[in-house]
Amino acid sequence: MRLYAYLLQCLGLLALLAAAANTENYNVVVDAASYYGKQLQEGVTYAVYEYWHPVNRVENCFPGFSHARLVVGEIKKTRNNRDYTFDGTAYDLLKEGGIFGGIHGGTTSVGKEKWKPNQYKNRNGDWQRVSAPSQYEYAGEVAGDVDSRMIKRLGDEWCRQHPTYNVVTNNCVNFVEDLYRNIHN
């Protein structure tokens, strides 16, 4: 009976320890920032570039090609008030249509969704893991007066100015770099 009570205590302690950990979102962003010697602070909004391997067969013909998203979010305490999370939103350039498997042409638009590292929402709205781990690069701080509506509006304006997709000259990397230039601190 004592052994049973002891095991239950151990399991409870393990569950508490598992629940008392920084989130994967936070760890990914902190790792990206630490590469540049940056330490992140609670309550500050930051941006990171996320590069993930595409599933489109034509794009796989380009060595090193990745889809890029700009992830913008704030460092916050978790519900337990001890650990941290990065509450982020991913912004990316979407294309509809085009020729040569979508590498040229098609209409551009802005994608905006809640962010989970190494995952994206598929056409059915379900979270799906990417085919290989994403790469993350710290972009920097975001100006204090910038909110998600402003970022979306800037993205929409970018798409109006760059309505036709081109894998070399008007692509997702151009989009996220220009978007960050407009919101950085």
Side-chain angles (χ1 to χ4, degrees):
M1 191 61 143
R2 289 180 103 193
L3 178 60
Y4 180 73
Y6 176 75
L7 289 174
L8 284 177
Q9 274 185 321
C10 288
L11 287 174
L13 182 58
L14 286 174
L16 181 63
L17 288 174
N22 293 327
T23 66
E24 181 184 11
N25 293 25
Y26 175 81
N27 293 334
V28 164
V29 173
V30 166
D31 287 348
S34 68
Y35 181 81
Y36 292 95
K38 304 291 183 181
Q39 293 203 354
L40 306 184
Q41 301 172 18
E42 180 183 358
V44 177
T45 301
Y46 298 97
V48 295
Y49 299 110
E50 178 183 45
Y51 302 98
W52 51 278
H53 191 67
V55 294
N56 182 317
R57 286 177 279 147
V58 173
E59 291 165 337
N60 286 329
C61 296
F62 295 95
F65 183 86
S66 296
H67 181 63
R69 299 194 294 185
L70 183 67
V71 181
V72 178
E74 182 181 347
I75 302 291
K76 296 180 177 181
K77 290 257 187 176
T78 60
R79 285 188 207 145
N80 68 20
N81 215 25
R82 287 189 308 268
D83 303 304
Y84 293 94
T85 190
F86 180 79
D87 187 19
T89 301
Y91 300 88
D92 62 344
L93 182 66
L94 305 175
K95 67 180 182 319
E96 198 62 45
I99 58 173
F100 305 117
I103 64 171
H104 178 72
T107 306
T108 60
S109 63
V110 179
K112 175 187 172 194
E113 66 186 17
K114 200 74 178 151
W115 176 66
K116 289 186 178 185
N118 298 305
Q119 298 181 52
Y120 68 97
K121 284 196 175 179
N122 63 23
R123 293 181 192 266
N124 297 328
D126 300 321
W127 287 102
Q128 183 171 332
R129 285 234 170 246
V130 295
S131 57
S134 298
Q135 302 296 310
Y136 296 94
E137 182 181 335
Y138 177 73
E141 286 189 35
V142 173
D145 61 341
V146 172
D147 64 12
S148 63
R149 289 185 309 253
M150 180 181 185
I151 297 170
K152 176 74 165 76
R153 192 170 54 251
L154 289 167
D156 288 339
E157 179 60 31
W158 193 94
C159 289
R160 278 191 288 286
Q161 294 173 5
H162 306 86
T164 304
Y165 181 85
N166 181 294
V167 74
V168 176
T169 61
N170 185 35
N171 59 46
C172 55
V173 174
N174 304 130
F175 172 77
V176 298
E177 288 175 351
D178 286 351
L179 190 57
Y180 179 68
R181 269 194 284 282
N182 285 297
I183 65 169
H184 80 283
N185 197 5

